[in-house]
């Protein structure tokens, strides 16, 4: 009887194990079948890459556009010649394939694209960066935005590029130290991007006034002015009242903050926001620190200790500033590392005057 009971228990355990194994196999087959039919994001991404690789490029792309210009019905002779000239301008200006394809999109009649093409060519002839318009144009094409809406977007960003260029010209005329030519083009692009994200021209003027005040006691670079605008934009996007966001960014600029320190300031507020800290209190602490001429590192350390920047173990054995953009190797672009090349301007170290 005892042997029979032992055998029964052994047999029961074996059957249970086999049943578990069967269930696991069924679940695995079901998951595999779902994976094969659901086309996960990775598969779609690979397909998009293959599709992009199959798109005509270089001379093949341009030859296809030439043929389309000659063969498309309904074009007047003047329009056809204008399209030919635009394509020649693309080659002369060395536009990349992505921009050329977006300017001569297959999904839109060539006649409808003439205005957008002329807008981009005019910016280029004026010596202004076309990248902001190109980015919006390519993004719109990918998303299937209608030509009318896309034309309005391109017109708006083109005017913002011109406004940003005028703004940076005035800044240089008023004594701000410029960077090399490519850096100044990036400054125009970044200022236009800030305008697209909501920065208004009167707010830019307020920041420029603070830069002029800083010039009385030390140098100020055009990049530092642009980063102050970027800081104001980011603070406003986090929900800080716009007037206060511009005032705090202007305070940082006038108090001698470098571009790196202003980016770290924005990082500090973004980190506090991410951890659900009271942003009003954070901003009060920053403005009190400005008035008391405290360094940014001191403010960060105190906020860290209060838990506003997350638990201490998030930062490991190093300080919270080590996590901030631009605070170590591989950090954000800053003066002396591809920016304007002017790091020594102003009071430095985030100190007051």
């Amino acid at each position: 009887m005892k042997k029979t009971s032992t055998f029964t228990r052994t047999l029961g355990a074996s059957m249970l194990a086999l049943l578990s194994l069967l269930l696991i196999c069924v679940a695995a087959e079901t998951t595999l079948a779902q994976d094969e039919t659901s086309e996960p994001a990775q598969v779609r991404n690979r397909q998009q890459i293959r599709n992009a690789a199959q798109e005509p490029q270089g001379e093949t792309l341009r030859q296809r556009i030439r043929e389309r210009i000659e063969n498309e019905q309904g074009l007047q002779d003047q329009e056809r010649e204008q399209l030919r000239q635009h394509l020649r301008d693309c080659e002369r200006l060395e536009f990349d394939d992505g921009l050329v394809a977006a300017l001569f999109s297959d999904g839109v009649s060539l006649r409808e694209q003439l205005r957008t093409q002329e807008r981009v060519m005019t910016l280029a002839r004026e010596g202004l960066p076309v990248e902001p318009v190109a980015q919006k144009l390519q993004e719109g094409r990918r998303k299937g935005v209608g030509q009318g809406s896309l034309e309005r977007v391109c017109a708006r960003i083109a005017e913002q590029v011109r406004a940003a260029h005028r703004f940076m010209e005035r800044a240089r005329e008023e004594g701000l130290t410029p960077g090399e030519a490519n850096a100044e083009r990036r400054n125009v692009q970044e200022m236009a991007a800030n305008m697209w994200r909501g920065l208004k021209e009167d707010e830019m003027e307020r920041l420029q006034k603070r830069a002029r005040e800083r010039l009385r006691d030390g140098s100020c670079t055009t990049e530092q002015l642009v980063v102050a605008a970027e800081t104001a934009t980011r603070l406003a996007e986090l929900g800080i009242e716009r007037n206060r966001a511009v005032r705090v960014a202007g305070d940082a600029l006038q108090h001698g903050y470098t571009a790196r320190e202003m980016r770290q300031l924005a990082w500090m507020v973004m980190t506090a926001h991410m951890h659900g800290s009271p942003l009003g209190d954070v901003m009060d602490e920053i403005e009190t620190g400005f008035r008391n001429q405290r360094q940014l590192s001191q403010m960060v350390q105190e906020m860290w200790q209060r838990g506003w920047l997350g638990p201490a173990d998030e930062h490991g054995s190093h300080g919270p500033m080590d996590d901030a953009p631009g605070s170590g190797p591989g950090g954000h672009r800053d003066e002396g590392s591809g920016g304007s090349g002017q790091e020594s301007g102003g009071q430095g170290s985030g100190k007051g005057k």
Side-chain angles (χ1 to χ4, degrees):
M1 184 70 177
K2 189 173 182 180
K3 288 182 180 179
T4 302
S5 178
T6 301
F7 174 79
T8 302
R9 287 197 301 272
T10 303
L11 180 61
S14 300
M15 292 296 293
L16 182 61
L18 287 170
L19 179 60
S20 299
L21 180 60
L22 178 61
L23 291 173
I24 291 171
C25 291
V26 170
E29 289 175 357
T30 302
T31 301
L32 181 59
Q34 290 174 343
D35 287 345
E36 289 175 346
T37 58
S38 63
E39 193 184 39
Q42 289 180 348
V43 174
R44 290 196 299 272
N45 289 341
R46 287 196 296 270
Q47 184 62 46
Q48 289 172 356
I49 292 172
R50 284 196 295 270
N51 290 343
Q54 293 168 1
E55 289 294 323
Q57 298 176 345
E59 181 56 29
T60 302
L61 169 65
R62 285 155 179 77
Q63 182 57 36
R64 193 179 77 170
I65 293 172
R66 290 187 197 101
E67 292 172 358
R68 184 182 172 197
I69 292 172
E70 300 307 321
N71 297 327
E72 183 153 331
Q73 300 296 314
L75 289 174
Q76 298 178 6
D77 291 343
Q78 182 181 0
E79 293 170 334
R80 211 178 296 276
E81 180 54 36
Q82 192 175 4
L83 288 163
R84 295 186 191 112
Q85 184 58 52
H86 285 170
L87 184 58
R88 289 194 292 268
D89 288 341
C90 287
E91 297 181 59
R92 179 177 57 82
L93 295 166
E94 299 181 345
F95 287 171
D96 63 40
D97 291 342
L99 177 53
V100 174
L103 287 169
F104 294 87
S105 176
D106 286 339
V108 185
S109 75
L110 288 175
R111 172 179 289 165
E112 292 179 4
Q113 297 181 75
L114 274 169
R115 272 204 306 263
T116 302
Q117 292 171 4
E118 185 58 31
R119 200 176 301 283
V120 173
M121 303 305 168
T122 300
L123 276 180
R125 287 193 289 267
E126 292 172 3
L128 299 177
V130 301
E131 288 83 358
V133 179
Q135 179 184 0
K136 293 299 177 186
L137 179 60
Q138 291 171 272
E139 180 182 329
R141 295 292 191 220
R142 287 194 301 270
K143 294 180 177 179
V145 176
Q147 180 63 25
S149 298
L150 194 53
E151 168 63 24
R152 289 190 291 273
V153 166
C154 289
R156 178 184 166 196
I157 193 70
E159 287 310 307
Q160 289 171 339
V161 169
R162 289 189 175 90
H165 175 68
R166 291 193 297 269
F167 178 76
M168 298 310 300
E169 277 193 327
R170 288 197 302 272
R172 290 190 294 269
E173 289 169 358
E174 292 178 356
L176 272 69
T177 305
E180 46 89 24
N182 286 337
E184 288 302 292
R185 285 181 67 85
R186 285 194 299 270
N187 285 338
V188 170
Q189 292 177 49
E190 291 174 15
M191 187 59 74
N194 290 324
M195 296 178 70
W196 177 261
R197 291 160 60 188
L199 189 69
K200 298 176 174 58
E201 292 197 47
D202 66 305
E203 295 168 340
M204 293 160 60
E205 294 297 335
R206 286 171 57 192
L207 292 172
Q208 193 163 351
K209 179 181 178 182
R210 305 301 291 277
R212 289 195 299 268
E213 292 170 353
R214 171 171 168 163
L215 284 171
R216 297 170 187 169
D217 297 303
S219 67
C220 184
T221 69
T222 51
E223 184 186 11
Q224 287 162 346
L225 175 59
V226 171
V227 175
E230 175 189 319
T231 300
T233 301
R234 288 185 175 179
L235 294 180
E237 288 173 341
L238 290 173
I240 305 300
E241 192 270 324
R242 295 196 62 86
N243 185 60
R244 189 177 200 183
V246 175
R247 183 176 71 242
V248 166
D251 285 344
L253 183 65
Q254 187 179 348
H255 281 70
Y257 274 45
T258 65
R260 173 175 296 175
E261 288 169 328
M262 284 186 275
R263 288 186 174 112
Q264 290 172 336
L265 175 69
W267 165 88
M268 180 174 67
V269 179
M270 286 188 290
T271 302
H273 176 71
M274 182 179 66
H275 288 94
S277 301
L279 286 189
D281 293 346
V282 171
M283 299 302 290
D284 288 343
E285 189 69 20
I286 290 172
E287 293 190 283
T288 299
F290 287 151
R291 287 194 296 271
N292 294 334
Q293 301 186 9
R294 289 160 62 198
Q295 293 188 358
L296 177 63
S297 58
Q298 293 176 296
M299 290 190 275
V300 171
Q301 191 68 28
E302 290 185 10
M303 291 186 191
W304 183 37
Q305 291 170 351
R306 291 184 185 186
W308 287 356
L309 302 181
D313 57 6
E314 282 190 7
H315 304 283
S317 60
H318 56 273
M321 288 298 287
D322 295 334
D323 297 326
S327 60
H332 205 297
R333 178 177 69 88
D334 194 17
E335 300 99 333
S337 59
S340 63
Q342 302 291 330
E343 175 63 31
S344 59
Q347 302 284 330
S349 304
K351 293 181 181 179
K353 294 185 283 187

